[in-house]
Amino acid sequence: MSQVFPESRAVHPIEAESFRRLRARLDTSHFPPLTRAVVERVIHSAADLAYAEDLVMDEAALEKAHGALHDGAPVVVDVEMVAAGITRRETVCRLKDAGSGPGLTRSAHAIRLAYEQVGPGALWVIGCAPTALEELLTLDAAPALVIGLPVGFVGAAESKAALRESGLPAVSNVSEKGGSAVAAAALNALLYHPVPPTPPVHPVSEASEPLKEKP
């Protein structure tokens, strides 16, 4: 299981100012909360306002993924660059253990190894290799979420389109752009977003118990 770190997080003044300027240039208030968090953090990581129109996600899927993440679901990444960008959470990356072969890239093999390790219910963060995303779609991974944001002119847009067509809970984008930094940013947005407080459970008093008929 992934290590869950404390929820409190100090925001550096430079980051706060960056988000202030972002919101001054782009109105994100119409997005639902988790979608807005992902959109803003991705834009912040890339300094690219066009991601507001390029990203594709579903708020209900993000809510479920947010819950799974904060309950300790494993986080799997395709490359160490994605892992380096994810803060406050350990990740699984099997690229060092993987090898290539006929019809199988090293990135795809790493996804197979990772699935053998973590099983279903993980959050998958793919920001580099389209073949990693393609391989994930062949597995019965039952993911909590797939952040599929690989970059490149060959296969990237196509693999992200296949992800959307799969019906899996996902964050993706339409264009060829993406990369490790934006993929990590999307995951961080869910990590940083506060967890709703659990309603207190009040014990049932004797007065509130239903009356029983006397024999």
Side-chain angles (χ1 to χ4, degrees), residues 75-87 89-98 105-112 114 123-133 136 147-151 178-185 187:
V75 177
V76 183
V77 301
D78 61 332
V79 294
E80 291 291 348
M81 284 293 289
V82 175
I86 294 173
T87 59
R89 177 60 68 92
E90 293 180 352
T91 61
V92 173
C93 181
R94 298 297 303 274
L95 191 61
K96 291 181 179 178
D97 306 314
T105 67
R106 186 174 169 224
S107 296
H109 186 213
I111 294 299
R112 290 188 189 181
L123 289 90
W124 297 78
V125 190
I126 297 175
C128 181
T131 58
L133 181 53
L136 179 59
I147 296 175
L149 296 170
V151 60
S180 298
V182 296
L187 194 281

Side-chain angles (χ1 to χ4, degrees), residues 204-212:
V204 178
S205 64
E206 293 182 3
S208 63
E209 292 180 354
L211 295 176
K212 297 179 181 179

Side-chain angles (χ1 to χ4, degrees), residues 177-203:
K177 65 185 178 182
S180 298
V182 296
L187 194 281
N188 284 338
L190 299 180
L191 274 175
Y192 300 163
H193 197 80
V195 177
T198 303
V201 177
H202 299 289

